[in-house]
Amino acid sequence: MTNRAIILCGGKGKRLRPYTNIFPKPLMPIGEFPILEIVIKKLRKHNFKHITLAVNHQAKMIESFFGNGSKWNIKIDYSLESKELGTMGPLKLINDLPENFLVMNADILTDLNFNNFLNYHKKNKNNFTVSSHTRVENIDYGVLICNKKSELIQFEEKPNEKFNVSMGVYAINRGILKLIPKNKKFGFDSLMLEMLKKNIKVKVKKHNNYWLDIGRPSDYQRATEVFLENKKLFIDD
């Protein structure tokens, strides 16, 4: 069966300014390729034959570059938002979604096997599967740990904290769409809270290898360095 992916390309990339003052974030170059082209080539390699780009901001520029996908031997079509709909809201505009499909952000550099991830979701008959990664964040302050009497009992200078974060890659069963309002901004956070409220199970699958979101200038610079050093890890034509 043909794998289907929805790539979310509608954001304005505010955190990546001034880079995104000229280009939409999906067209930001990583090495010699736009980040979205790297994603599309990897999806094609992993048995995805049909990609829908959910677009809004600078949509014409994105569509002009990628066209119908024939350059990459893959079908590409577009879903245009007339206003910002968040992460999950755009899915309500797409009428031909299969029973299970992949949704992902357009600005991700990862060695995740998308086909294996979607197959895991299908095999386990999950409602919603989130690909996760451990992110280490440095706290740039001395952290004071106190007891109930406000007495210092422990001190840590600029500690590192580990968090299990969403990679911005999701496998979704079509039945979840009923939870998403039509023509309203509705993000991943809103859907997760709604599913928790309704006791609908969400599975989290850990990815232990490479992942980087290029949302911030420092991440963008790091992604470029890593891609140039390990190109075969992310793209293989």
Side-chain angles (χ1 to χ4, degrees), residues 115-129:
N115 183 59
N116 289 350
F117 175 67
L118 183 58
N119 284 340
Y120 166 85
H121 167 84
K122 292 177 181 178
K123 181 180 178 180
N124 290 279
K125 299 181 180 179
N126 296 345
N127 298 301
F128 196 108
T129 309

mmCIF file with all atom_site columns, all heavy atoms in Angstrom, residues 115-129:
data_model
loop_
_atom_site.group_PDB
_atom_site.id
_atom_site.type_symbol
_atom_site.label_atom_id
_atom_site.label_alt_id
_atom_site.label_comp_id
_atom_site.label_asym_id
_atom_site.label_entity_id
_atom_site.label_seq_id
_atom_site.pdbx_PDB_ins_code
_atom_site.Cartn_x
_atom_site.Cartn_y
_atom_site.Cartn_z
_atom_site.occupancy
_atom_site.B_iso_or_equiv
_atom_site.pdbx_formal_charge
_atom_site.auth_seq_id
_atom_site.auth_comp_id
_atom_site.auth_asym_id
_atom_site.auth_atom_id
_atom_site.pdbx_PDB_model_num
ATOM 1   N N   . ASN A 1 115 ? 9.141  5.046  7.140  1.00 0.00 ? 115 ASN A N   1
ATOM 2   C CA  . ASN A 1 115 ? 8.337  3.874  6.797  1.00 0.00 ? 115 ASN A CA  1
ATOM 3   C C   . ASN A 1 115 ? 8.189  2.948  8.006  1.00 0.00 ? 115 ASN A C   1
ATOM 4   O O   . ASN A 1 115 ? 7.082  2.486  8.316  1.00 0.00 ? 115 ASN A O   1
ATOM 5   C CB  . ASN A 1 115 ? 8.988  3.123  5.632  1.00 0.00 ? 115 ASN A CB  1
ATOM 6   C CG  . ASN A 1 115 ? 8.171  1.941  5.174  1.00 0.00 ? 115 ASN A CG  1
ATOM 7   O OD1 . ASN A 1 115 ? 7.016  2.079  4.768  1.00 0.00 ? 115 ASN A OD1 1
ATOM 8   N ND2 . ASN A 1 115 ? 8.762  0.753  5.247  1.00 0.00 ? 115 ASN A ND2 1
ATOM 9   N N   . ASN A 1 116 ? 9.277  2.685  8.701  1.00 0.00 ? 116 ASN A N   1
ATOM 10  C CA  . ASN A 1 116 ? 9.215  1.825  9.890  1.00 0.00 ? 116 ASN A CA  1
ATOM 11  C C   . ASN A 1 116 ? 8.344  2.439  10.982 1.00 0.00 ? 116 ASN A C   1
ATOM 12  O O   . ASN A 1 116 ? 7.612  1.727  11.685 1.00 0.00 ? 116 ASN A O   1
ATOM 13  C CB  . ASN A 1 116 ? 10.621 1.578  10.436 1.00 0.00 ? 116 ASN A CB  1
ATOM 14  C CG  . ASN A 1 116 ? 11.442 0.665  9.546  1.00 0.00 ? 116 ASN A CG  1
ATOM 15  O OD1 . ASN A 1 116 ? 10.920 0.059  8.608  1.00 0.00 ? 116 ASN A OD1 1
ATOM 16  N ND2 . ASN A 1 116 ? 12.732 0.574  9.820  1.00 0.00 ? 116 ASN A ND2 1
ATOM 17  N N   . PHE A 1 117 ? 8.435  3.749  11.123 1.00 0.00 ? 117 PHE A N   1
ATOM 18  C CA  . PHE A 1 117 ? 7.634  4.444  12.134 1.00 0.00 ? 117 PHE A CA  1
ATOM 19  C C   . PHE A 1 117 ? 6.144  4.313  11.831 1.00 0.00 ? 117 PHE A C   1
ATOM 20  O O   . PHE A 1 117 ? 5.333  3.990  12.718 1.00 0.00 ? 117 PHE A O   1
ATOM 21  C CB  . PHE A 1 117 ? 8.042  5.915  12.191 1.00 0.00 ? 117 PHE A CB  1
ATOM 22  C CG  . PHE A 1 117 ? 7.211  6.752  13.119 1.00 0.00 ? 117 PHE A CG  1
ATOM 23  C CD1 . PHE A 1 117 ? 7.247  6.546  14.492 1.00 0.00 ? 117 PHE A CD1 1
ATOM 24  C CD2 . PHE A 1 117 ? 6.390  7.753  12.619 1.00 0.00 ? 117 PHE A CD2 1
ATOM 25  C CE1 . PHE A 1 117 ? 6.479  7.326  15.357 1.00 0.00 ? 117 PHE A CE1 1
ATOM 26  C CE2 . PHE A 1 117 ? 5.623  8.531  13.468 1.00 0.00 ? 117 PHE A CE2 1
ATOM 27  C CZ  . PHE A 1 117 ? 5.662  8.315  14.841 1.00 0.00 ? 117 PHE A CZ  1
ATOM 28  N N   . LEU A 1 118 ? 5.756  4.525  10.577 1.00 0.00 ? 118 LEU A N   1
ATOM 29  C CA  . LEU A 1 118 ? 4.344  4.403  10.209 1.00 0.00 ? 118 LEU A CA  1
ATOM 30  C C   . LEU A 1 118 ? 3.874  2.957  10.327 1.00 0.00 ? 118 LEU A C   1
ATOM 31  O O   . LEU A 1 118 ? 2.750  2.691  10.779 1.00 0.00 ? 118 LEU A O   1
ATOM 32  C CB  . LEU A 1 118 ? 4.118  4.927  8.791  1.00 0.00 ? 118 LEU A CB  1
ATOM 33  C CG  . LEU A 1 118 ? 2.670  4.938  8.292  1.00 0.00 ? 118 LEU A CG  1
ATOM 34  C CD1 . LEU A 1 118 ? 1.769  5.770  9.210  1.00 0.00 ? 118 LEU A CD1 1
ATOM 35  C CD2 . LEU A 1 118 ? 2.600  5.457  6.852  1.00 0.00 ? 118 LEU A CD2 1
ATOM 36  N N   . ASN A 1 119 ? 4.725  2.006  9.950  1.00 0.00 ? 119 ASN A N   1
ATOM 37  C CA  . ASN A 1 119 ? 4.354  0.596  10.070 1.00 0.00 ? 119 ASN A CA  1
ATOM 38  C C   . ASN A 1 119 ? 4.166  0.186  11.535 1.00 0.00 ? 119 ASN A C   1
ATOM 39  O O   . ASN A 1 119 ? 3.290  -0.627 11.855 1.00 0.00 ? 119 ASN A O   1
ATOM 40  C CB  . ASN A 1 119 ? 5.414  -0.292 9.411  1.00 0.00 ? 119 ASN A CB  1
ATOM 41  C CG  . ASN A 1 119 ? 5.325  -0.268 7.901  1.00 0.00 ? 119 ASN A CG  1
ATOM 42  O OD1 . ASN A 1 119 ? 4.290  0.091  7.337  1.00 0.00 ? 119 ASN A OD1 1
ATOM 43  N ND2 . ASN A 1 119 ? 6.403  -0.627 7.234  1.00 0.00 ? 119 ASN A ND2 1
ATOM 44  N N   . TYR A 1 120 ? 5.001  0.715  12.424 1.00 0.00 ? 120 TYR A N   1
ATOM 45  C CA  . TYR A 1 120 ? 4.831  0.467  13.863 1.00 0.00 ? 120 TYR A CA  1
ATOM 46  C C   . TYR A 1 120 ? 3.460  0.952  14.326 1.00 0.00 ? 120 TYR A C   1
ATOM 47  O O   . TYR A 1 120 ? 2.752  0.256  15.071 1.00 0.00 ? 120 TYR A O   1
ATOM 48  C CB  . TYR A 1 120 ? 5.942  1.183  14.630 1.00 0.00 ? 120 TYR A CB  1
ATOM 49  C CG  . TYR A 1 120 ? 5.695  1.298  16.125 1.00 0.00 ? 120 TYR A CG  1
ATOM 50  C CD1 . TYR A 1 120 ? 6.033  0.266  16.994 1.00 0.00 ? 120 TYR A CD1 1
ATOM 51  C CD2 . TYR A 1 120 ? 5.114  2.450  16.662 1.00 0.00 ? 120 TYR A CD2 1
ATOM 52  C CE1 . TYR A 1 120 ? 5.800  0.370  18.361 1.00 0.00 ? 120 TYR A CE1 1
ATOM 53  C CE2 . TYR A 1 120 ? 4.875  2.566  18.020 1.00 0.00 ? 120 TYR A CE2 1
ATOM 54  C CZ  . TYR A 1 120 ? 5.215  1.527  18.866 1.00 0.00 ? 120 TYR A CZ  1
ATOM 55  O OH  . TYR A 1 120 ? 4.969  1.633  20.218 1.00 0.00 ? 120 TYR A OH  1
ATOM 56  N N   . HIS A 1 121 ? 3.091  2.126  13.890 1.00 0.00 ? 121 HIS A N   1
ATOM 57  C CA  . HIS A 1 121 ? 1.787  2.705  14.232 1.00 0.00 ? 121 HIS A CA  1
ATOM 58  C C   . HIS A 1 121 ? 0.648  1.803  13.742 1.00 0.00 ? 121 HIS A C   1
ATOM 59  O O   . HIS A 1 121 ? -0.301 1.508  14.484 1.00 0.00 ? 121 HIS A O   1
ATOM 60  C CB  . HIS A 1 121 ? 1.681  4.099  13.604 1.00 0.00 ? 121 HIS A CB  1
ATOM 61  C CG  . HIS A 1 121 ? 0.313  4.682  13.597 1.00 0.00 ? 121 HIS A CG  1
ATOM 62  N ND1 . HIS A 1 121 ? -0.226 5.347  14.677 1.00 0.00 ? 121 HIS A ND1 1
ATOM 63  C CD2 . HIS A 1 121 ? -0.638 4.702  12.623 1.00 0.00 ? 121 HIS A CD2 1
ATOM 64  C CE1 . HIS A 1 121 ? -1.445 5.760  14.372 1.00 0.00 ? 121 HIS A CE1 1
ATOM 65  N NE2 . HIS A 1 121 ? -1.714 5.379  13.139 1.00 0.00 ? 121 HIS A NE2 1
ATOM 66  N N   . LYS A 1 122 ? 0.742  1.344  12.494 1.00 0.00 ? 122 LYS A N   1
ATOM 67  C CA  . LYS A 1 122 ? -0.309 0.502  11.912 1.00 0.00 ? 122 LYS A CA  1
ATOM 68  C C   . LYS A 1 122 ? -0.377 -0.856 12.605 1.00 0.00 ? 122 LYS A C   1
ATOM 69  O O   . LYS A 1 122 ? -1.461 -1.345 12.944 1.00 0.00 ? 122 LYS A O   1
ATOM 70  C CB  . LYS A 1 122 ? -0.043 0.296  10.414 1.00 0.00 ? 122 LYS A CB  1
ATOM 71  C CG  . LYS A 1 122 ? -0.193 1.538  9.563  1.00 0.00 ? 122 LYS A CG  1
ATOM 72  C CD  . LYS A 1 122 ? 0.177  1.207  8.119  1.00 0.00 ? 122 LYS A CD  1
ATOM 73  C CE  . LYS A 1 122 ? 0.083  2.393  7.201  1.00 0.00 ? 122 LYS A CE  1
ATOM 74  N NZ  . LYS A 1 122 ? 0.498  2.067  5.811  1.00 0.00 ? 122 LYS A NZ  1
ATOM 75  N N   . LYS A 1 123 ? 0.786  -1.471 12.794 1.00 0.00 ? 123 LYS A N   1
ATOM 76  C CA  . LYS A 1 123 ? 0.840  -2.812 13.394 1.00 0.00 ? 123 LYS A CA  1
ATOM 77  C C   . LYS A 1 123 ? 0.212  -2.839 14.781 1.00 0.00 ? 123 LYS A C   1
ATOM 78  O O   . LYS A 1 123 ? -0.470 -3.799 15.149 1.00 0.00 ? 123 LYS A O   1
ATOM 79  C CB  . LYS A 1 123 ? 2.292  -3.277 13.457 1.00 0.00 ? 123 LYS A CB  1
ATOM 80  C CG  . LYS A 1 123 ? 2.479  -4.672 14.048 1.00 0.00 ? 123 LYS A CG  1
ATOM 81  C CD  . LYS A 1 123 ? 3.950  -5.060 14.088 1.00 0.00 ? 123 LYS A CD  1
ATOM 82  C CE  . LYS A 1 123 ? 4.138  -6.438 14.718 1.00 0.00 ? 123 LYS A CE  1
ATOM 83  N NZ  . LYS A 1 123 ? 5.584  -6.820 14.759 1.00 0.00 ? 123 LYS A NZ  1
ATOM 84  N N   . ASN A 1 124 ? 0.431  -1.772 15.547 1.00 0.00 ? 124 ASN A N   1
ATOM 85  C CA  . ASN A 1 124 ? -0.095 -1.712 16.912 1.00 0.00 ? 124 ASN A CA  1
ATOM 86  C C   . ASN A 1 124 ? -1.479 -1.082 16.996 1.00 0.00 ? 124 ASN A C   1
ATOM 87  O O   . ASN A 1 124 ? -2.020 -0.915 18.092 1.00 0.00 ? 124 ASN A O   1
ATOM 88  C CB  . ASN A 1 124 ? 0.894  -0.943 17.801 1.00 0.00 ? 124 ASN A CB  1
ATOM 89  C CG  . ASN A 1 124 ? 2.169  -1.708 18.039 1.00 0.00 ? 124 ASN A CG  1
ATOM 90  O OD1 . ASN A 1 124 ? 2.239  -2.585 18.894 1.00 0.00 ? 124 ASN A OD1 1
ATOM 91  N ND2 . ASN A 1 124 ? 3.209  -1.407 17.265 1.00 0.00 ? 124 ASN A ND2 1
ATOM 92  N N   . LYS A 1 125 ? -2.036 -0.742 15.822 1.00 0.00 ? 125 LYS A N   1
ATOM 93  C CA  . LYS A 1 125 ? -3.386 -0.167 15.740 1.00 0.00 ? 125 LYS A CA  1
ATOM 94  C C   . LYS A 1 125 ? -3.541 1.036  16.670 1.00 0.00 ? 125 LYS A C   1
ATOM 95  O O   . LYS A 1 125 ? -4.517 1.171  17.403 1.00 0.00 ? 125 LYS A O   1
ATOM 96  C CB  . LYS A 1 125 ? -4.442 -1.241 16.039 1.00 0.00 ? 125 LYS A CB  1
ATOM 97  C CG  . LYS A 1 125 ? -4.413 -2.410 15.056 1.00 0.00 ? 125 LYS A CG  1
ATOM 98  C CD  . LYS A 1 125 ? -5.474 -3.449 15.353 1.00 0.00 ? 125 LYS A CD  1
ATOM 99  C CE  . LYS A 1 125 ? -5.421 -4.585 14.350 1.00 0.00 ? 125 LYS A CE  1
ATOM 100 N NZ  . LYS A 1 125 ? -6.442 -5.645 14.625 1.00 0.00 ? 125 LYS A NZ  1
ATOM 101 N N   . ASN A 1 126 ? -2.541 1.909  16.629 1.00 0.00 ? 126 ASN A N   1
ATOM 102 C CA  . ASN A 1 126 ? -2.551 3.092  17.475 1.00 0.00 ? 126 ASN A CA  1
ATOM 103 C C   . ASN A 1 126 ? -3.502 4.153  16.934 1.00 0.00 ? 126 ASN A C   1
ATOM 104 O O   . ASN A 1 126 ? -3.727 4.241  15.720 1.00 0.00 ? 126 ASN A O   1
ATOM 105 C CB  . ASN A 1 126 ? -1.143 3.695  17.563 1.00 0.00 ? 126 ASN A CB  1
ATOM 106 C CG  . ASN A 1 126 ? -0.153 2.766  18.237 1.00 0.00 ? 126 ASN A CG  1
ATOM 107 O OD1 . ASN A 1 126 ? -0.539 1.796  18.882 1.00 0.00 ? 126 ASN A OD1 1
ATOM 108 N ND2 . ASN A 1 126 ? 1.130  3.061  18.094 1.00 0.00 ? 126 ASN A ND2 1
ATOM 109 N N   . ASN A 1 127 ? -4.001 4.972  17.829 1.00 0.00 ? 127 ASN A N   1
ATOM 110 C CA  . ASN A 1 127 ? -4.793 6.130  17.426 1.00 0.00 ? 127 ASN A CA  1
ATOM 111 C C   . ASN A 1 127 ? -3.874 7.253  16.946 1.00 0.00 ? 127 ASN A C   1
ATOM 112 O O   . ASN A 1 127 ? -4.131 7.892  15.923 1.00 0.00 ? 127 ASN A O   1
ATOM 113 C CB  . ASN A 1 127 ? -5.625 6.652  18.602 1.00 0.00 ? 127 ASN A CB  1
ATOM 114 C CG  . ASN A 1 127 ? -6.614 5.651  19.124 1.00 0.00 ? 127 ASN A CG  1
ATOM 115 O OD1 . ASN A 1 127 ? -7.481 5.187  18.393 1.00 0.00 ? 127 ASN A OD1 1
ATOM 116 N ND2 . ASN A 1 127 ? -6.490 5.300  20.399 1.00 0.00 ? 127 ASN A ND2 1
ATOM 117 N N   . PHE A 1 128 ? -2.837 7.464  17.721 1.00 0.00 ? 128 PHE A N   1
ATOM 118 C CA  . PHE A 1 128 ? -1.908 8.568  17.450 1.00 0.00 ? 128 PHE A CA  1
ATOM 119 C C   . PHE A 1 128 ? -0.549 8.168  18.012 1.00 0.00 ? 128 PHE A C   1
ATOM 120 O O   . PHE A 1 128 ? -0.456 7.748  19.161 1.00 0.00 ? 128 PHE A O   1
ATOM 121 C CB  . PHE A 1 128 ? -2.415 9.840  18.155 1.00 0.00 ? 128 PHE A CB  1
ATOM 122 C CG  . PHE A 1 128 ? -1.786 11.114 17.666 1.00 0.00 ? 128 PHE A CG  1
ATOM 123 C CD1 . PHE A 1 128 ? -2.516 12.002 16.893 1.00 0.00 ? 128 PHE A CD1 1
ATOM 124 C CD2 . PHE A 1 128 ? -0.482 11.452 17.985 1.00 0.00 ? 128 PHE A CD2 1
ATOM 125 C CE1 . PHE A 1 128 ? -1.955 13.194 16.450 1.00 0.00 ? 128 PHE A CE1 1
ATOM 126 C CE2 . PHE A 1 128 ? 0.096  12.629 17.543 1.00 0.00 ? 128 PHE A CE2 1
ATOM 127 C CZ  . PHE A 1 128 ? -0.649 13.514 16.771 1.00 0.00 ? 128 PHE A CZ  1
ATOM 128 N N   . THR A 1 129 ? 0.488  8.300  17.193 1.00 0.00 ? 129 THR A N   1
ATOM 129 C CA  . THR A 1 129 ? 1.831  7.937  17.624 1.00 0.00 ? 129 THR A CA  1
ATOM 130 C C   . THR A 1 129 ? 2.755  9.138  17.439 1.00 0.00 ? 129 THR A C   1
ATOM 131 O O   . THR A 1 129 ? 2.782  9.749  16.367 1.00 0.00 ? 129 THR A O   1
ATOM 132 C CB  . THR A 1 129 ? 2.375  6.744  16.823 1.00 0.00 ? 129 THR A CB  1
ATOM 133 O OG1 . THR A 1 129 ? 1.418  5.671  16.827 1.00 0.00 ? 129 THR A OG1 1
ATOM 134 C CG2 . THR A 1 129 ? 3.677  6.244  17.422 1.00 0.00 ? 129 THR A CG2 1
#
